[in-house]
Amino acid sequence: GSRGSPPPMDLVDKTALSRVLELRGTAAGSIVTEHDQRITLSPEMVRNITFMAASDPNSNVCILGSGLEALELACAANNSSNRRKNGNGNNNGKKKKNSSSSNVSLLFGNAGPLSDRVPRYLSSAITKRLKLFGIDVRERSLVRYVSSDDNQKKNGDVGGLEIHASKSYDSLDTCRLEADLLIGMYVRM
């Protein structure tokens, strides 16, 4: 769905849990449930951490979900990233020459962003606009496994995440994304 559900704990490497954040509709601070080792932060805290990670030109942020909150967070994080790269936030959707690839990815299982709320042609237009602004949009993709990136650890870095995903219509069509932060937008209405 557009809001999705968190990947089961069996599919998330224990060493990768510190880089997986969830955004839920709660104003409480950090919450750790009995059976779940994931930490849930307030929406403001998740946004601040996302902006901080996106403003680093060497980091990648992956957002799970295609709801309005996920789109807003992806656009704001991309804007924060572009300000850092370009020196200001006004690039009018155009990449500068020698600009590196996108460091904000949007991953969801639907056919398009907001596809449960808007007609297909508007969802396609939203996808085109997001890609124009430099956001890596991966529709109809399901997370299969989240692990720590061992290559970064070998180089002395803190280490990031490897997100293994496959298309919802073809489980053999897979991809691997590298990210420093994974945000799950599991907000229920």
Side-chain angles (χ1 to χ4, degrees):
S2 65
R3 302 202 181 267
S5 62
M9 288 300 295
D10 298 340
L11 300 180
V12 179
D13 188 14
K14 301 287 187 227
T15 59
L17 279 176
S18 65
R19 297 207 176 251
V20 177
L21 299 177
E22 292 184 30
L23 181 64
R24 294 185 181 171
T26 179
S30 299
I31 300 170
V32 180
T33 60
E34 256 180 66
H35 306 291
D36 200 354
Q37 296 177 353
R38 295 185 196 131
I39 297 175
T40 303
L41 301 172
S42 66
E44 295 81 20
M45 182 67 81
V46 171
R47 281 175 171 65
N48 290 338
I49 292 171
T50 304
F51 296 152
M52 192 169 29
S55 66
D56 181 7
N58 298 323
S59 69
N60 297 319
V61 176
C62 182
I63 300 170
L64 302 179
S66 66
L68 195 56
E69 298 88 1
L71 295 179
E72 184 271 330
L73 186 63
C75 290
N78 191 52
N79 191 27
S80 172
S81 170
N82 286 338
R83 277 192 194 131
R84 182 74 167 180
K85 287 180 189 175
N86 301 334
N88 65 10
N90 190 9
N91 65 349
N92 295 327
K94 297 177 184 171
K95 287 187 175 183
K96 283 188 168 184
K97 280 188 176 179
N98 303 327
S99 170
S100 64
S101 63
S102 174
N103 68 340
V104 178
S105 298
L106 193 60
L107 194 77
F108 48 89
N110 283 355
L114 297 174
S115 63
D116 61 336
R117 295 183 179 229
V118 298
R120 179 76 179 139
Y121 72 95
L122 285 178
S123 183
S124 296
I126 292 169
T127 301
K128 286 179 185 177
R129 182 63 58 102
L130 290 172
K131 288 180 179 181
L132 176 72
F133 286 124
I135 297 173
D136 180 24
V137 179
R138 301 197 181 230
E139 62 260 327
R140 294 185 177 154
S141 295
L142 304 173
V143 174
R144 293 297 178 205
Y145 189 72
V146 178
S147 66
S148 294
D149 189 1
D150 294 330
N151 293 331
Q152 287 184 354
K153 286 183 182 178
K154 289 178 186 174
N155 295 334
D157 292 342
V158 176
L161 298 172
E162 286 185 358
I163 301 150
H164 301 268
S166 67
K167 293 294 185 182
S168 60
Y169 54 86
D170 184 5
S171 62
L172 295 178
D173 187 2
T174 61
C175 68
R176 183 181 63 87
L177 297 167
E178 292 180 2
D180 295 298
L181 186 62
L182 176 66
I183 296 102
M185 305 296 286
Y186 317 124
V187 182
R188 300 280 179 206
M189 291 182 89

